Amino acid sequence: MPTVILLDVSLSMTRPVAAAEGGGEAITRRQLAEAGLSALFDFVAANDKLEFTALVIFSSLWEVVVPFTRDYNELKKALYSVEIFDKTNLEGTLDGVRSVVGEEWGVTTTCQVILVTDGSPGVGPGSLKQVAQMLSNPKPDDPPFHLPFEFPNSLEVVLLASPAELQQWDSRALYQKLLDANRQKGKIHVVEGALTPKSAQLMFSRLAEEHYSAFRARLQCGHLSSEVQLFPPPRTVSMARDFEMVTQTVSSELNICGFLDCADVSSPPVMSRHLVLPLATKEKSHAGSGEGGAEGADKTDDKDSGPTSSEIGSTPSFCVLLHGSLKIENLVALVNVGENWYGLLHSCADSKKKSNLMMSLFEPGDKAIPWLGRFHLLGPCSAFANDPYGEDSASTKSPFPVRLQEKRSYSQNPVVWIKPTSLQADIQKILRYARKLPEKTQVFYKELNRLRRAALALGMTELLSGMSMMLERECTILPWTAHPDAAMQLTHAAKMITSAMDKGYDYSIIPLSTNFASDS
């Protein structure tokens, strides 16, 4: 997920924490932040190099020093070149984060926000004390606060202060109120033991290992296998079912169950997509090609992996073989990623010259694609008495979608009101039939009952009241040449559509029995 580093550059960050050995200059909290963030950038560059990171500094104002980038050398260079400014304004900084992430990624992408500060609550408007007081005792005339963020996020607070200072300022309780207001995942990170550069680096290393560790697995198909890395790392999924809470984690063993035509899969509903990168290992049988499972993709060999780039390029890789085969044959691979959890491996082209091996994860369960049926019931064509695709290899006939055994409970198309024009068209249809009464009596009541059932199903009772008023108006503007039965049917329909609201979904309004004969 993209990361925003919020670095406090207020005057309190220049306070010394310890004297250097040999009588040197004292170490400041700013220097601790630089050492810790440098260790964080090194870890991310080695394990999560495809992720984007931005550096934002703040004091009384905030500024984007480095926009979202993958160049961690640029981030480290900017880290050591920022200046020190005045006091901290946390409230304005949180508003800045919302605008920075919203302009670049919108409100649907999950972002990591890492706040690095010395833990001082500050004074005056915008300080942590005032923010905590505003959250604890909100007033009607207070402006809306900037938490929680609109986008999915994880707010990590890093406090460069000793335990005694945190207890004196009550910083942990104040920042905990900030996390509670965010209503998202987050955690407060503090230094264990004495406040030194080594302890600060250890704290940032733990943070990096928790959120930026690479997800490595073995992709296997029969006797062929390859060590791969999934980017971004798949998260643990928790879903509420009818009578239980299902929690699933992607396994380190990814087993390919079979292959399907792209036309059979079409565009299935997926939860997340992950880039599949082969890993370079010392074993030739499992070594990656360094092409990222793609034509022209970034290399993923680590410095300590052993093989050189020339050796990696000349070593066979099952991951690259699979990617090329799926691309040429226009197939997808069904892969089992956990207990009763499946996904698809497919070739994804982001340009005419680049393509990557991607894995799309479904919801947990073996019936994630309705038209395929249950995954564990699928089998090869050779297992059937007759080839479902036909004897001709060039035939486009497909056995999918699988037809359900039971019959549908409805005999006509359902009402769809996604756009206002659809609702307007249904209302205008009823009004057109109302002007042609009594010839169109049966069709008029059919469409009226159709609209009534849809409005009750969607809870749109105001629509029924509005429809009653429109029918009453149509009755008043009938021409003098209109049939007498038209006015009586409109009055009856206008009355019944509101009085029959409590009679249930299955109730149907029937025409009024009159002594008038239709001209038809």
Side-chain angles (χ1 to χ4, degrees):
M1 64 183 77
T3 301
V4 180
I5 304 292
L6 294 178
L7 178 59
D8 187 358
V9 292
S10 61
L11 290 173
S12 60
M13 289 289 287
T14 61
R15 291 184 295 116
V17 294
E21 295 182 1
E25 294 183 359
I27 300 175
T28 64
R29 299 164 199 272
R30 163 71 180 276
Q31 292 173 326
L32 293 179
E34 293 173 352
L37 287 175
S38 296
L40 176 67
F41 292 154
D42 291 338
F43 187 93
V44 177
N47 296 275
D48 210 3
K49 62 176 67 176
L50 296 181
E51 198 54 274
F52 288 91
T53 304
L55 178 61
V56 179
I57 60 173
F58 69 95
S59 55
S60 59
L61 301 175
W62 61 272
E63 177 186 358
V64 180
V65 179
V66 181
F68 287 98
T69 181
R70 291 174 176 169
D71 189 352
Y72 289 92
N73 290 327
E74 181 185 358
L75 287 167
K76 293 173 69 175
K77 182 179 178 181
L79 180 64
Y80 289 98
S81 61
V82 295
E83 300 179 358
I84 294 295
F85 294 93
D86 49 1
K87 66 175 186 176
T88 302
N89 185 347
L90 193 59
E91 183 179 1
T93 304
L94 298 176
D95 185 32
V97 172
R98 184 179 60 177
S99 61
V100 169
V101 175
E103 291 175 3
E104 186 72 22
W105 303 100
V107 296
T108 58
T109 303
T110 304
C111 291
Q112 187 95 2
V113 181
I114 301 178
L115 173 63
V116 182
T117 181
D118 61 336
S120 175
V123 293
S127 64
L128 178 61
K129 281 186 176 180
Q130 188 190 47
V131 168
Q133 184 178 3
M134 185 187 306
L135 294 174
S136 301
N137 301 310
K139 298 180 180 179
D141 55 344
D142 287 340
F145 195 60
H146 311 297
L147 289 180
F149 294 124
E150 294 88 349
F151 54 90
N153 66 89
S154 176
L155 179 58
E156 307 294 327
V157 180
V158 179
L159 302 180
L160 297 172
S162 64
E165 291 174 329
L166 295 178
Q167 185 176 5
Q168 178 184 357
W169 296 328
D170 198 19
S171 298
R172 298 194 66 166
L174 295 176
Y175 278 104
Q176 187 59 48
K177 292 182 179 180
L178 206 65
L179 296 180
D180 296 340
N182 192 36
R183 297 202 300 268
Q184 300 280 352
K185 295 180 180 178
K187 187 178 178 181
I188 298 176
H189 302 266
V190 296
V191 175
E192 294 183 359
L195 196 59
T196 62
K198 184 177 181 180
S199 61
Q201 289 181 347
L202 287 175
M203 176 179 59
F204 278 94
S205 297
R206 290 194 300 269
L207 173 63
E209 292 175 358
E210 182 179 351
H211 295 283
Y212 300 99
S213 294
F215 184 88
R216 304 188 179 190
R218 177 180 290 274
L219 179 63
Q220 189 161 353
C221 179
H223 298 290
L224 299 175
S225 63
S226 176
E227 297 290 338
V228 296
Q229 175 184 350
L230 301 185
F231 176 85
R235 306 293 177 182
T236 301
V237 176
S238 297
M239 298 185 62
R241 295 294 173 87
D242 292 339
F243 302 102
E244 60 180 349
M245 191 73 179
V246 178
T247 301
Q248 290 274 32
T249 304
V250 176
S251 173
S252 58
E253 295 289 336
L254 308 178
N255 298 311
I256 295 179
C257 304
F259 301 89
L260 294 164
D261 288 337
C262 289
D264 293 338
V265 178
S266 187
S267 298
V270 299
M271 295 183 61
S272 60
R273 293 181 175 88
H274 307 270
L275 184 65
V276 182
L277 307 172
L279 291 177
T281 60
K282 294 182 180 181
E283 300 179 11
K284 290 187 178 180
S285 59
H286 303 307
S289 69
E291 295 177 1
E295 300 174 0
D298 296 337
K299 296 182 178 181
T300 59
D301 51 312
D302 297 332
K303 294 182 179 179
D304 301 332
S305 59
T308 61
S309 0
S310 59
E311 293 173 346
I312 293 172
S314 60
T315 305
S317 172
F318 167 64
C319 188
V320 177
L321 172 65
L322 176 66
H323 170 248
S325 303
L326 295 178
K327 182 179 179 182
I328 294 174
E329 298 296 333
N330 200 25
L331 297 174
V332 296
L334 182 66
V335 56
N336 178 249
V337 300
E339 183 180 358
N340 200 28
W341 194 7
Y342 296 86
L344 284 183
L345 289 172
H346 57 93
S347 177
C348 179
D350 54 1
S351 65
K352 293 183 179 179
K353 296 183 179 180
K354 277 189 177 182
S355 60
N356 305 282
L357 182 62
M358 300 287 292
M359 184 175 74
S360 299
L361 286 180
F362 303 131
E363 290 186 357
D366 65 343
K367 203 176 179 181
I369 306 180
W371 58 89
L372 289 183
R374 296 190 179 277
F375 290 142
H376 72 274
L377 297 180
L378 297 177
C381 294
S382 58
F384 296 88
N386 298 321
D387 188 353
Y389 288 91
E391 297 180 358
D392 186 6
S393 59
S395 175
T396 58
K397 183 180 178 182
S398 173
F400 301 108
V402 175
R403 301 295 180 184
L404 298 178
Q405 297 295 332
E406 62 272 9
K407 294 183 179 180
R408 300 294 184 182
S409 60
Y410 51 84
S411 58
Q412 60 183 3
N413 293 331
V415 177
V416 179
W417 290 337
I418 298 178
K419 298 180 179 180
T421 53
S422 302
L423 175 59
Q424 184 179 3
D426 288 343
I427 295 176
Q428 289 176 344
K429 185 188 299 185
I430 295 175
L431 296 180
R432 285 197 303 270
Y433 290 142
R435 298 185 183 104
K436 296 180 181 180
L437 290 173
E439 291 84 359
K440 299 293 183 179
T441 299
Q442 298 299 326
V443 183
F444 168 74
Y445 279 98
K446 177 183 177 181
E447 292 297 328
L448 186 65
N449 285 316
R450 179 170 173 265
L451 180 135
R452 175 184 176 273
R453 286 192 295 268
L456 291 178
L458 299 175
M460 301 171 62
T461 56
E462 296 85 356
L463 174 62
L464 300 180
S465 301
M467 192 72 240
S468 176
M469 295 173 62
M470 284 186 278
L471 293 178
E472 290 177 355
R473 180 179 180 275
E474 289 294 326
C475 183
T476 58
I477 62 175
L478 285 175
W480 64 274
T481 57
H483 196 282
D485 196 23
M488 299 180 66
Q489 294 293 347
L490 287 176
T491 304
H492 170 70
K495 179 181 178 181
M496 291 300 298
I497 199 171
T498 53
S499 61
M501 284 186 186
D502 58 343
K503 293 190 177 182
Y505 177 85
D506 297 329
Y507 177 80
S508 296
I509 302 174
I510 60 176
L512 179 67
S513 298
T514 62
N515 295 326
F516 295 100
S518 173
D519 295 339
S520 50

